[in-house]
C-alpha cells in the first residue's frame, strides 16, 4: 500500500467518524451503535497512522517503505505513550 492510498483510507475513515457523530445527533443511530462503530474506526485509524509513520521513518533510513508491514490493531492499541 503506497502513501497516497494510506492517506486516502485515513481521510475516508475520518469522514466516517464525522458522519457517525452527525447520525447520532440526528437520532438516526443509537449512542451504542455510534460507540461500537467509532471504536472500530478509531482503532483502524490508529493502525493506519502507525503504518504511515513507520513507512516514512523507513524511507528516511534508506529502507524501502514497502518492506514495512502493518502492526495488528491489538499491538498498536497497546503501545505505551
Amino acid at each position: 500500500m503506497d502513501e497516497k492510498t494510506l492517506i486516502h483510507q485515513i481521510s475516508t475513515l475520518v469522514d466516517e467518524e464525522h458522519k457517525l457523530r452527525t447520525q447520532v445527533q440526528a437520532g438516526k443511530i443509537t449512542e451504542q451503535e455510534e460507540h461500537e462503530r467509532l471504536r472500530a474506526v478509531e482503532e483502524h485509524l490508529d493502525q493506519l497512522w502507525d503504518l504511515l509513520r513507520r513507512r516514512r521513518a523507513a524511507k528516511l533510513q534508506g529502507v524501502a517503505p514497502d518492506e514495512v508491514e502493518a502492526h495488528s490493531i491489538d499491538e498498536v492499541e497497546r503501545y505505551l505513550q
Side-chain angles (χ1 to χ4, degrees), residues 1-5 8 18 20 23-24 26 28 32 34-37 42 46-47 51-53 55 57 60 64-65:
M1 179 180 322
D2 64 6
E3 187 168 319
K4 185 176 180 178
T5 303
H8 177 73
H18 290 267
L20 286 168
Q23 286 177 332
V24 78
K28 293 181 180 180
Q32 181 65 31
E34 177 209 30
H35 177 73
E36 290 171 3
R37 185 61 191 140
E42 289 169 352
D46 289 345
Q47 183 186 38
L51 179 58
L52 183 60
R53 284 189 293 271
R55 285 177 57 92
L60 289 173

Side-chain angles (χ1 to χ4, degrees), residues 3 5 8-9 11-12 15 27 32 45 48 51 53 59 62 64 66 69 77 80-81:
E3 187 168 319
T5 303
H8 177 73
Q9 285 188 352
S11 179
T12 299
D15 290 344
Q32 181 65 31
L45 275 169
L48 291 174
L51 179 58
R53 284 189 293 271
K59 187 175 179 180
D66 290 336
E69 293 185 17
E77 291 301 310
L80 295 177
Q81 296 297 321

